[in-house]
Amino acid sequence: MDIKWGNLGSVFGASLGITIAVVVMFSLGVAAWGRAGSGPRDGQPRDGQEKAALAVAAVCFAACLAVAAYGIDLLVPG
């Protein structure tokens, strides 16, 4: 049995990079969600910054979900 170290290194590098990217995206989503606040206060509508923060959080969480779904799709036979 022969180990192809170049291929092993490539897989390790790709998985490390994707893991770091997902952790950063999730962290940015949590931070944006926290910046958006807990919702309208005293009947006042959200301002532009809160709406933008919610949009950023939604995009970050959707990206994390897309990566997880793609990983599951790779693992589960069709």
Side-chain angles (χ1 to χ4, degrees), residues 24-39 46-61:
V24 167
M25 289 298 289
F26 190 80
S27 299
L28 289 174
V30 169
W33 194 11
R35 182 173 288 275
S38 59
R46 293 185 185 274
D47 63 352
Q49 283 185 334
E50 289 177 341
K51 288 180 183 179
L54 277 177
V56 168
V59 168
C60 289
F61 292 141

Side-chain angles (χ1 to χ4, degrees), residues 7-36:
N7 292 345
L8 182 64
S10 296
V11 169
F12 176 76
S15 61
L16 181 66
I18 293 297
T19 300
I20 290 171
V22 169
V23 168
V24 167
M25 289 298 289
F26 190 80
S27 299
L28 289 174
V30 169
W33 194 11
R35 182 173 288 275

